[in-house]
């Protein structure tokens, strides 16, 4: 099992294992340097308008967007331009509730859209609302992320919990577990060594997240969760026991993705690597796991690729065009979609020469971050076809 910390090059990490409840839980004391970074800027630099510093770095390719598409307005002009260029059409706008859409996920023929605490499920063929669940549990806080495993839906919540739902034949969703489970909780609770101090006069079990769970990923039949508490936790399937807890970063973790080879990448607000000059909000990995994309508050998307015959990745390009922070990324086949606080979604494609270009810019959104996973904003999930 490989774990690659996206913004961490430190030589040690705190790790707690559950191999034996009756034995001590030794810290993991080694971590390999998995990413190459030769810039000499101070890690404390947090310039959110650092495109100039990125431009000055000759190792980063400038991959411009299509100029004619950067300011498409009004919406009717946008639709015509998209049709003539790459045949992307707006099919429908769905308004489940007058709240921000905090997360979107597509599974088989169902679209899951979280609005606050409520989760709405739409049929992608008819655009019909087929189920609404979790709306009555206001204590759970906003839903931050979705993932899917063995026919179940897993959701990450602001109340530090992960919830597991089962879809019935009628496409209704029933809560079947909350992580950590009650069994796992009481199994650990009796041993003092399983408690650790999170702040003065307050302790928690190590199997618990103690801040918002911000992301979920599945790889090799294991569940990976990340949180603003700086920890990455690993859960087994199907019993949903917590196997390991790793302090992966020095600041809040914002995203996690899993590569096809089982490598796990995490993104954080800590300034360990200096290619980004501010918090990294989003990650995406291509289908074969050879290319990683990272989006940050510095308005840039960096392209990382595996170095030949090496166990690390290096920056090979930078995608620019958004005027505000990158909030969400998703890779679909040969396309990369990026959502930003500038209220636009950009669609990128790599050409035969290896360089990326921006195919289209959509600015039909009313709030920031809408359209891909809705991180930190967005009102309406919109449906596009090509």
């Amino acid at each position: 099992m490989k774990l690659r910390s996206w913004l961490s090059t430190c030589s040690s990490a705190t790790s707690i294992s559950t191999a034996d409840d009756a034995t001590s839980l030794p810290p993991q004391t080694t971590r390999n340097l998995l990413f190459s970074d030769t810039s000499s800027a101070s890690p404390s630099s947090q310039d959110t308008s650092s495109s100039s510093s990125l431009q000055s770095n000759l190792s980063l390719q400038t991959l411009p967007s299509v100029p004619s598409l950067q300011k498409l307005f009004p919406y009717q002009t946008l639709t015509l331009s998209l049709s003539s260029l790459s045949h992307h059409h707006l099919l429908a706008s769905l308004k489940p509730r007058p709240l921000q859409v905090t997360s979107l996920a597509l599974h088989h023929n169902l679209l899951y859209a979280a609005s606050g605490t409520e989760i709405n499920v739409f049929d992608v063929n008819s655009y019909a609302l087929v189920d609404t669940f979790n709306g009555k549990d206001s204590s759970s806080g906003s839903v931050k992320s979705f993932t899917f495993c063995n026919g179940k839906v897993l959701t990450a919540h602001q109340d530090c919990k992960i919830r597991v739902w089962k879809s019935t034949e009628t496409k209704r969703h029933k809560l079947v577990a909350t992580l950590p489970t009650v069994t796992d909780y009481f199994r650990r609770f009796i041993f003092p060594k399983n408690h650790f101090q999170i702040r003065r006069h307050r302790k928690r079990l190590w199997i618990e997240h103690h801040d918002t769970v911000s992301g979920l990923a599945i790889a090799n039949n294991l569940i990976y969760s990340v949180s603003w508490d700086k920890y990455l936790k690993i859960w087994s399937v199907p019993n949903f026991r917590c196997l390991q807890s790793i302090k992966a970063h020095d600041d809040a973790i914002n995203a996690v993705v899993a590569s096809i080879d089982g490598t796990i990448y995490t993104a954080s607000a800590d300034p360990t690597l200096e290619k980004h000059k501010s918090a990294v909000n989003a990650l995406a990995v291509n289908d074969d796991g050879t290319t990683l994309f990272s989006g940050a508050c510095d308005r840039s998307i960096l392209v990382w690729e595996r170095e030949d015959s090496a166990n690390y990745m290096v920056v090979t390009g930078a995608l620019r065009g958004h005027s505000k922070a990158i909030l969400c990324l998703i890779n679909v086949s040969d396309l990369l979609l990026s959502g930003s606080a500038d209220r636009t979604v950009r669609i990128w494609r790599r050409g035969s020469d290896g360089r990326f270009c921006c195919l289209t810019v959509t600015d039909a959104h009313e709030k920031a971050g809408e359209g891909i996973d809705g991180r930190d904003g967005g009102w309406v999930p919109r449906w596009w076809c090509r």
Side-chain angles (χ1 to χ4, degrees):
M1 175 171 51
K2 307 174 187 175
L3 294 176
R4 298 191 180 184
S5 179
W6 168 242
L7 284 182
S8 180
T9 58
C10 58
S11 60
S12 64
T14 303
S15 174
I16 307 176
S17 173
T18 70
D20 186 351
D21 284 341
T23 60
S24 61
L25 304 175
Q28 179 176 318
T29 57
T30 60
R31 171 171 296 171
N32 294 328
L33 178 64
L34 296 171
F35 290 90
S36 173
D37 186 8
T38 58
S39 61
S40 59
S42 170
S44 63
S45 174
Q46 294 292 329
D47 182 7
T48 57
S49 60
S50 62
S51 60
S52 60
S53 63
L54 283 170
Q55 291 171 355
S56 65
N57 192 330
L58 297 180
S59 67
L60 305 184
Q61 282 183 287
T62 299
L63 304 173
S65 306
V66 181
S68 62
L69 294 180
Q70 293 194 18
K71 294 183 179 179
L72 294 175
F73 190 85
Y75 175 70
Q76 182 177 2
T77 305
L78 171 65
T79 304
L80 292 175
S81 298
L82 294 181
S83 294
S84 61
L85 180 65
S86 56
H87 308 292
H88 291 81
H89 305 275
L90 177 65
L91 294 181
S93 293
L94 307 176
K95 288 192 176 183
R97 290 188 65 188
L99 295 174
Q100 291 184 334
V101 175
T102 55
S103 185
L104 286 178
L106 186 65
H107 184 60
H108 298 315
N109 65 332
L110 297 177
L111 174 71
Y112 292 78
S115 298
T117 62
E118 185 176 276
I119 301 170
N120 298 277
V121 186
F122 299 91
D123 188 299
V124 299
N125 297 315
S126 63
Y127 315 126
L129 178 66
V130 297
D131 192 20
T132 298
F133 60 99
N134 197 55
K136 296 180 180 180
D137 187 9
S138 60
S139 63
S140 69
S142 297
V143 179
K144 297 296 184 181
S145 179
F146 294 95
T147 194
F148 306 91
C149 180
N150 296 341
K152 295 181 176 63
V153 183
L154 284 79
T155 53
H157 294 260
Q158 192 174 0
D159 68 352
C160 316
K161 299 290 195 303
I162 301 165
R163 289 172 171 80
V164 184
W165 310 83
K166 183 177 180 180
S167 179
T168 66
E169 293 182 358
T170 59
K171 299 181 181 178
R172 300 293 181 179
H173 291 76
K174 179 181 179 180
L175 181 66
V176 295
T178 300
L179 307 188
T181 64
V182 173
T183 301
D184 203 12
Y185 184 91
F186 283 106
R187 183 169 172 266
R188 316 287 183 186
F189 186 82
I190 59 176
F191 296 101
K193 67 181 181 181
N194 289 329
H195 298 255
F196 76 104
Q197 190 165 330
I198 60 173
R199 60 179 64 94
R200 189 178 181 184
H201 305 309
R202 186 172 183 183
K203 290 185 176 182
R204 284 282 187 96
L205 288 177
W206 65 264
I207 63 174
E208 298 178 275
H209 281 298
H210 56 271
D211 206 335
T212 298
V213 182
S214 54
L216 296 169
I218 299 288
N220 297 330
N221 215 30
L222 293 173
I223 303 165
Y224 298 85
S225 64
V226 294
S227 168
W228 293 349
D229 64 11
K230 311 173 189 177
Y231 279 81
L232 164 72
K233 296 188 187 295
I234 306 171
W235 311 79
S236 64
V237 177
N239 59 11
F240 302 117
R241 285 179 53 191
C242 188
L243 302 178
Q244 195 171 17
S245 181
I246 303 167
K247 186 178 180 182
H249 290 274
D250 294 326
D251 208 332
I253 306 178
N254 297 323
V256 58
V257 293
S259 175
I260 191 172
D261 64 358
T263 303
I264 305 300
Y265 302 94
T266 59
S268 173
D270 58 14
T272 308
L273 285 186
E274 296 148 0
K275 297 300 184 184
H276 280 300
K277 301 301 180 182
S278 57
V280 180
N281 298 320
L283 296 173
V285 64
N286 70 342
D287 292 342
D288 61 10
T290 59
T291 305
L292 181 73
F293 305 93
S294 61
C297 290
D298 60 13
R299 304 174 294 175
S300 68
I301 302 168
L302 297 188
V303 183
W304 300 78
E305 294 185 291
R306 198 181 304 276
E307 187 76 0
D308 292 340
S309 302
N311 192 30
Y312 59 86
M313 302 183 84
V314 295
V315 174
T316 60
L319 312 184
R320 303 186 186 89
H322 285 294
S323 61
K324 293 185 179 180
I326 311 299
L327 300 179
C328 44
L329 295 170
I330 188 170
N331 185 91
V332 181
S333 185
D334 62 341
L335 299 177
L336 177 72
L337 290 81
S338 58
S340 169
D342 63 11
R343 306 185 185 183
T344 67
V345 174
R346 287 175 177 262
I347 303 177
W348 312 80
R349 173 181 281 164
R350 170 173 272 174
S352 57
D353 60 355
R355 295 167 61 89
F356 286 83
C357 68
C358 183
L359 298 179
T360 62
V361 182
T362 69
D363 61 357
H365 298 296
E366 300 170 2
K367 290 289 182 178
E370 176 189 3
I372 300 178
D373 67 5
R375 189 182 303 278
D376 292 338
W379 286 92
V380 187
R382 299 183 185 272
W383 298 66
W384 301 85
C385 75
R386 186 181 173 200

